[in-house]
Amino acid sequence: MTTNAVRPRLIATDLDGTLLCPSGTVSERTAAALTAAEEAGVQVVFVTGRPPRWMQQLGPHIGGHGVAICSNGGAIVDVRRGETLEVFPLSPVDALAAVAALRAALPGTAFAFEHLDGFAREPEYQLRMWGESDDRHQPAAPAEELLAPGGPVRGLYKLLAKHPDLDPDSFLVEARRVAGHLAEITRSAPVALLEISSLGVTKASTLASWCREQGIDRSEVVAFGDMPNDLEMLAWAGTSYAVANAHPEVLAAVAQHTVSNEHDGVAVAVEELLKRHAG
């Protein structure tokens, strides 16, 4: 989307690769820009693929409302209180159907599960990425056992599928071909890791729901992102920016670009927006 003259009322920003530094922290300049936006009456909402359990360290930057949209729209979380406010679950039936389809088409795929009580995984699902070491002591069993009635997975809001060898973009294309009718499938990681939600549940759908409750029109929303899981949100918002380090598909889809996350791209754009709409 291109810039419009509407004064923004809400900034929706992805975290990793977008708002956060490569180290996963909030820079001083970015923290100051977020604070300035809130002081100017512009709500800031983090809209992330991260699960709720990976949000605690961002509490000081969350704004007055304390709310973040996590797991690609699968959950709305009060970060400060550590409370899940709403979940948009993926049914065990659809999850198992997606697991079966991906196993058949892409042998070697292993699965993990983000749910109301935490995290669970198949034994073959390797924990190698940032933050995953925290999950080593969570339940490990085949998907059919984890998702069975009375099993440890309750309120599943994101299914993860990881492959040891495939190209990440090729993995996404093939997964959508064989299981896209069962669930929303996207990606945000630098490895072959897919993020799977209930049909119709995306960052955009949950952000739209939140904005309706707040009386905020999409034309009053400014969004920032960098990866395929941001595309729906960037298309929905009245004004959207891709950071310079974004995935090529995102750079092609979004008219406005800012500098990279390493150079505080969100802060640069927010400072300009606040200056443009001051007074």
Side-chain angles (χ1 to χ4, degrees):
M1 289 264 181
T2 56
T3 300
N4 56 47
V6 177
R7 185 184 189 278
R9 293 181 60 200
L10 186 143
I11 291 168
T13 180
D14 173 55
L15 292 175
D16 298 287
T18 301
L19 182 83
L20 303 182
C21 301
S23 62
T25 58
V26 179
S27 73
E28 290 185 10
R29 182 175 182 179
T30 295
L34 298 181
T35 298
E38 290 275 353
E39 290 176 348
V42 182
Q43 190 178 128
V44 177
V45 176
F46 297 156
V47 188
T48 177
R50 286 188 181 205
R53 65 189 183 281
W54 289 2
M55 294 294 295
Q56 285 80 0
Q57 74 272 30
L58 295 169
H61 307 289
I62 199 66
H65 50 83
V67 167
I69 295 170
C70 295
S71 297
N72 294 329
I76 301 177
V77 178
D78 186 317
V79 175
R80 289 206 190 88
R81 292 161 56 189
E83 179 182 349
T84 300
L85 303 178
E86 190 169 7
V87 172
F88 302 91
L90 175 63
S91 77
V93 171
D94 288 341
L96 284 172
V99 166
L102 292 172
R103 276 183 183 156
L106 300 159
T109 303
F111 299 90
F113 311 86
E114 293 178 3
H115 60 104
L116 281 172
D117 296 324
F119 178 84
R121 64 184 175 91
E122 293 190 312
E124 298 81 12
Y125 185 96
Q126 296 298 310
L127 299 173
R128 294 173 179 167
M129 293 178 59
W130 175 89
E132 289 187 332
S133 60
D134 298 337
D135 300 323
R136 292 188 184 280
H137 302 295
Q138 300 292 337
E144 292 77 6
E145 181 178 328
L146 293 170
L147 292 172
V153 173
R154 180 180 67 91
L156 174 66
Y157 46 79
K158 189 160 77 167
L159 170 65
L160 299 166
K162 187 181 287 188
H163 198 281
D165 304 313
L166 291 176
D167 169 76
D169 287 323
S170 299
F171 190 25
L172 175 59
V173 169
E174 185 63 12
R176 284 176 169 170
R177 185 185 69 80
V178 300
H181 61 292
L182 298 167
E184 299 291 339
I185 306 176
T186 189
R187 60 169 290 257
S188 64
V191 299
L193 174 63
L194 303 180
E195 303 165 50
I196 303 170
S197 305
S198 181
L199 272 177
V201 175
T202 65
K203 287 187 175 187
S205 67
T206 304
L207 177 61
S209 176
W210 172 259
C211 287
R212 281 194 299 272
E213 293 177 4
Q214 304 294 307
I216 296 172
D217 188 79
R218 62 188 290 186
S219 66
E220 300 171 307
V221 176
V222 180
F224 296 88
D226 75 310
M227 288 295 282
N229 65 327
D230 296 314
L231 284 167
E232 292 89 353
M233 176 177 73
L234 295 170
W236 177 83
T239 303
S240 294
Y241 291 83
V243 287
N245 54 288
H247 188 281
E249 187 177 356
V250 177
L251 290 171
V254 180
Q256 296 194 105
H257 299 169
T258 184
V259 295
S260 72
N261 65 322
E262 186 175 5
H263 295 98
D264 298 313
V266 173
V268 169
V270 169
E271 289 163 359
E272 176 58 32
L273 285 167
L274 293 178
K275 185 186 302 181
R276 185 183 308 151
H277 294 283

